[in-house]
C-alpha cells in the first residue's frame, strides 16, 4: 500500500486527480496455494467482471487513467486483469 500512497502524493503534487481504491484481495488461486487454510479462490470470470465494474465506475466519475498495482503471484489473475484492462481501453 505504501507504493500506492507514494503514487497518490506524486499526482497530488502535480495537481492531478488521484484516488487510491481499496485493494482487490481475491485471486484465482492456483493449485500450489489452494491447500492453505483461509485461501479464497475467485474464478477468472469473476475477476474479469469485478475489474470491469471497477473500471466502469471510475470512468463514470471522470477518471481517464488507472494504475493497477498487483502483488499477487497468481498468473491466472494477472492475465484476467490485464485482458480486462486492455478490453476496457478499446
Amino acid at each position: 500500500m505504501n507504493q500506492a500512497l507514494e503514487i497518490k502524493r506524486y499526482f497530488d503534487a502535480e495537481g492531478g486527480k488521484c484516488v487510491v481504491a481499496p485493494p482487490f484481495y481475491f485471486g484465482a488461486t492456483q493449485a500450489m496455494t489452494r491447500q492453505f487454510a483461509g485461501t479464497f479462490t475467485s474464478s477468472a470470470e469473476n475477476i474479469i467482471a469485478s475489474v470491469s465494474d471497477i473500471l466502469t465506475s471510475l470512468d463514470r466519475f471522470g477518471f481517464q487513467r488507472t494504475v493497477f498495482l498487483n502483488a499477487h503471484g497468481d498468473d491466472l489473475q494477472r492475465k484476467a486483469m490485464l485482458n480486462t484492462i486492455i478490453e476496457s481501453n478499446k
Side-chain angles (χ1 to χ4, degrees):
M1 188 63 154
N2 288 340
Q3 289 173 334
L5 293 177
E6 287 177 28
I7 291 169
K8 178 175 178 22
R9 287 185 194 110
Y10 171 80
F11 278 102
D12 288 347
E14 295 292 319
K17 183 168 55 169
C18 182
V19 171
V20 176
F24 186 81
Y25 287 108
F26 301 101
T29 307
Q30 305 288 333
M32 188 164 88
T33 56
R34 189 178 300 256
Q35 71 274 11
F36 295 115
T39 300
F40 295 94
T41 302
S42 186
S43 68
E45 293 80 14
N46 186 53
I47 292 169
I48 290 167
S50 296
V51 171
S52 180
D53 287 345
I54 291 167
L55 290 170
T56 298
S57 296
L58 290 170
D59 182 60
R60 186 175 63 242
F61 292 120
F63 288 89
Q64 297 173 349
R65 294 180 188 93
T66 305
V67 176
F68 282 87
L69 302 176
N70 186 359
H72 285 273
D74 184 335
D75 198 45
L76 182 60
Q77 185 210 33
R78 184 189 61 76
K79 286 179 181 176
M81 291 182 76
L82 181 61
N83 289 336
T84 304
I85 293 165
I86 289 168
E87 286 298 315
S88 295
N89 283 317
K90 289 184 178 179

